[in-house]
Amino acid sequence: MQLDLFSISGNNSIQNIKLDELFEAYYNCRKNKRNTINALAFEIDYEKNLVQLYNDINDRTYKIGQSMAFIVNKPVKREIFAADFRDRIVHHWLISKLNPIFEKEFINDSYACRVGKGTHFGIARVDGFIKSCSKNYTIDCYVLKLDVLGFFMHINRIHLWEKVHAFIKLKYKQNDIDLIIEICRKIIFNDSAKNCFIKGHKSDWNGLPINKSLFHSPVDCGLPIGNLTSQVFANFYMNSFDHFVKSTLNIRYYGRYVDDFVIIHTDKNYLVKIQKEILNFLQIKLHLTLHPKKIYLQHFSKGVKFLGTYIKPYRIYIAKRTKGNFYNAIKNQNDVVRLNKPSKNEINYFLSVMNSYLGIMKHYDTFKLRKRMVFKNISGWWLNYASLKGGIAKFVLKIRPVKKNQRNANSKQAPAQIILR
């Protein structure tokens, strides 16, 4: 039976989703997606749409919608499945319920998709591991870096479901446990590759390795890259491996970001030996395997590439790929102002692109690089619209106050206006 706005408060079933939780999930979901077509369509009448979603979930008639599949080429070529905005709200709600119990199980050095973690935290931790293990670079230690082959595409959904279901039954103590389990099952077993539409052209997939496409995943395998639930469930899937490395292999210096992990140890032979144990655990316990071409074992003085940086003693550099992508982004933006005056949207996009790279680079030893890239490569025309602040750390719009004779007579002071020359 459908509920209207006046009857919602009367539904007090302990197994049902709460409307205020759904609204909170909606507000969290729209923060970074508010300008997408799906988000705008939902927002036109968001209260009615949220009530309908509320009814569908509580009536147990909720069905996952169609995803949008497309290819991104930066920083690397990758297949993305963007869930419908309505489903993203459900994802945010679900993860808000599960994260408290997941976080109690995760090790400190799992960095992806966690509050207070992320790439900068992970890079700093690995840098600190090397410094600590080598006793401030005074004794030998070695860095082993490994990568899982086609990670998201080879996550076994049946195995994931069994682990998630058992864990929730054991650890989750709220009254809506049955609803949580049901939504988890629907999300895990939803085959996005069979329920999607293609954005762009099929030729966009040319050059993408088969093991990086959900369309070529083994039967009952694969989670779509692009969903919040996929990222968190992937962390949960690898959690047993994290504890295996830390406890069974007794590794002190270990960190992982999704499928990319680093181990530091003073004994090179031990790092060679444990590779077979790691491979066996991944294959037997998680149905995964190591990427045979991405095994790196070197003395710490040689440095190690990790999360877009190159970590060396006393210094952290930006990886060549990041520098190349920044250069290409500058070239593309210069083409915008080569013949025409940029629009306001184009100026805002310029700021967004430049500041995303500068925001990453400012954390590391890149001042000279930023100075060279900005002053030698960015077209001088852009400086008509934007200026630098914070030591080549950020571009901001150029503004100037409105002249006194242009001010409204009823206002003491008019706000600054953006002048687009």
Side-chain angles (χ1 to χ4, degrees), residues 256-275:
R256 178 181 62 82
Y257 190 96
V258 190
D259 61 339
D260 196 0
F261 54 95
V262 174
I263 299 172
I264 298 100
H265 201 277
T266 54
D267 188 346
K268 183 177 182 180
N269 291 328
Y270 182 69
L271 292 178
V272 172
K273 175 186 173 184
I274 65 172
Q275 289 182 48

Side-chain angles (χ1 to χ4, degrees), residues 378-389:
I378 293 180
S379 170
W381 285 103
W382 279 117
L383 299 181
N384 289 322
Y385 312 105
S387 59
L388 284 161
K389 65 179 294 187

Side-chain angles (χ1 to χ4, degrees), residues 33-50:
K33 300 293 179 182
R34 201 165 188 179
N35 292 326
T36 63
I37 294 174
N38 284 339
L40 291 171
F42 192 94
E43 191 166 317
I44 291 173
D45 198 353
Y46 74 94
E47 289 183 339
K48 178 181 177 181
N49 290 328
L50 283 172

